Amino acid sequence: MPPPPIRRIVVDAPHVPVAPPEPLEAAVRARPRLATDAVERMRVEDLTIAYGPKVAVNGVTLPVHQGEVLALIGPSGCGKTTLLRSLNRLVELTPGAGRGGKIVLDGDDVDVIEVTDLRRRVSMVFQQPNPFPMSIFDNVAYALREQGSKRVKRSELMAPVRSALERAGLWDEVGDDLDRPALRMSGGQQQRLCIARALAANPEVLLLDEPCSALDPRSTAIIEELILQLREELAVVIVTHNLQQAYRIGDRVAFMYLGELVEYGLAADVFERPEHTRTAEYVSGAFG
Ligand SMILES: Nc1ncnc2c1ncn2[C@@H]1O[C@H](COP(=O)(O)OP(=O)(O)O)[C@@H](O)[C@H]1O
Ligand SMILES: [Mg+2]
């Protein structure tokens, strides 16, 4: 029997045309970098992903570099989330999903890496903040306990929990009230808690799927600042439909359209000197 039809509700906000960045933002973003200092952490090669007969990602080849933010942009439905979810093999949890091509993490095919280990090393934060219904402390400690230290005492977990909350820029706000239920935090705090939870496992690659789309501008600014700091220590891949955001925080940008990678390059090149007409139209806000 064929699966029932899936009704998808598109919630993406309309696209904001790109305006020149503020001088200060440009200064934050523009970290001079030579192409040669970019260490490749992940690579997808000729990646194709289909849901049943529907091809969502079509023949994409793309590197992911240490110390950089890679921003995936493109209109709704072009395969950004699918590509992101393939990097830690979450996509295979979708019934009927099939994959062709290769994904490599530090030289190893992701298929030969034990899957929970892969998902620790390549950690994902979703569009809607999804803290567990437990305390702030337990949310972050969860990842540590999962790593085999289930019986460890709270006092021993305090240092790594604190460190993760600090890296996520949340410690100053919640450090004196770690027993507070996570679900009572603001949306922006919840999303940073989810980032802290992801960081607690010491990932090498952090995947963020439109992490700010449910947040107010202030929380968005805090998280963008945080991402710029995090890229120093790991590779970050962020999906965003906010072109301003891709411009502000992306070191490299990949523009996808109908499942294909149309253009990939340094953010300044993709936004200011795109090679393809389709990219030029998209980044100027002509279609979304
Ligand atoms: N679970 C699914 N089952 C069937 N089709 C899906 C599923 N998830 C996504 N798709 C389809 O795959 C394509 C790419 O979706 P997605 O990766 O979510 O795009 P984006 O994140 O760019 O909006 C779309 O046509 C979408 O309808
Ligand atoms: Mg998506």
Side-chain angles (χ1 to χ4, degrees):
M1 214 173 73
I6 294 166
R7 178 164 169 260
R8 287 178 61 86
I9 300 168
V10 177
V11 292
D12 281 6
H15 290 292
V16 186
V18 177
E22 303 283 316
L24 210 164
E25 284 177 348
V28 172
R29 196 178 63 80
R31 202 176 58 157
R33 210 190 314 266
L34 298 168
T36 48
D37 81 349
V39 175
E40 189 175 293
R41 294 314 292 272
M42 292 197 85
R43 178 172 197 83
V44 305
E45 253 171 52
D46 202 16
L47 179 72
T48 293
I49 296 166
Y51 299 104
K54 161 85 196 167
V55 176
V57 171
N58 195 356
V60 170
T61 296
L62 189 69
V64 175
H65 294 129
Q66 170 78 30
E68 290 187 354
V69 177
L70 170 62
L72 291 180
I73 61 169
S76 193
C78 71
K80 305 181 295 298
T81 294
T82 301
L83 174 57
L84 201 69
R85 289 172 72 239
S86 73
L87 295 177
N88 65 358
R89 291 176 51 192
L90 278 179
V91 80
E92 65 195 47
L93 301 177
T94 302
R99 192 186 96 202
K102 200 170 161 184
I103 304 173
V104 172
L105 171 63
D106 288 338
D108 293 326
D109 194 311
V110 294
D111 289 340
V112 306
I113 302 173
E114 200 275 312
V115 75
T116 49
D117 194 39
L118 173 69
R119 290 182 190 147
R120 181 194 65 73
R121 294 171 64 188
V122 183
S123 192
M124 177 125 175
V125 172
F126 299 87
Q127 188 167 2
Q128 288 292 334
N130 60 346
F132 303 136
M134 45 178 88
S135 71
I136 295 171
F137 182 91
D138 285 337
N139 262 275
V140 183
Y142 186 90
L144 300 160
R145 292 184 172 125
E146 279 292 290
Q147 279 180 271
S149 42
K150 285 193 173 62
R151 300 253 169 93
V152 172
K153 285 197 228 91
R154 179 179 165 117
S155 56
E156 288 171 49
L157 288 172
M158 188 53 91
V161 166
R162 176 178 179 149
S163 155
L165 288 168
E166 281 174 348
R167 288 168 82 196
L170 201 52
W171 177 258
D172 290 345
E173 288 164 56
V174 304
D176 59 358
D177 197 8
L178 296 178
D179 291 323
R180 182 147 59 107
L183 296 175
R184 290 224 197 108
M185 306 165 88
S186 73
Q189 287 177 327
Q190 289 189 15
Q191 193 63 303
R192 277 180 286 147
L193 181 64
C194 293
I195 294 174
R197 191 174 63 192
L199 292 176
N202 267 322
E204 294 154 55
V205 181
L206 184 65
L207 310 176
L208 303 154
D209 192 0
E210 308 207 22
C212 301
S213 64
L215 305 183
D216 60 90
R218 189 179 156 268
S219 300
T220 298
I222 294 173
I223 288 183
E224 286 185 8
E225 196 60 41
L226 168 64
I227 291 168
L228 289 174
Q229 284 164 23
L230 290 174
R231 75 174 172 189
E232 303 288 337
E233 32 185 314
L234 22 83
V236 179
V237 187
I238 180 171
V239 168
T240 178
H241 65 240
N242 181 333
L243 293 175
Q244 295 272 6
Q245 182 169 69
Y247 196 108
R248 279 193 300 265
I249 66 172
D251 294 293
R252 304 202 193 232
V253 172
F255 168 59
M256 292 180 70
Y257 187 70
L258 296 177
E260 293 184 5
L261 179 65
V262 175
E263 189 150 349
Y264 166 78
L266 294 171
D269 290 337
V270 173
F271 280 106
E272 291 157 27
R273 299 170 285 276
E275 272 180 35
H276 299 270
T277 317
R278 189 66 81 180
T279 317
E281 286 169 357
Y282 184 72
V283 300
S284 68
F287 70 97

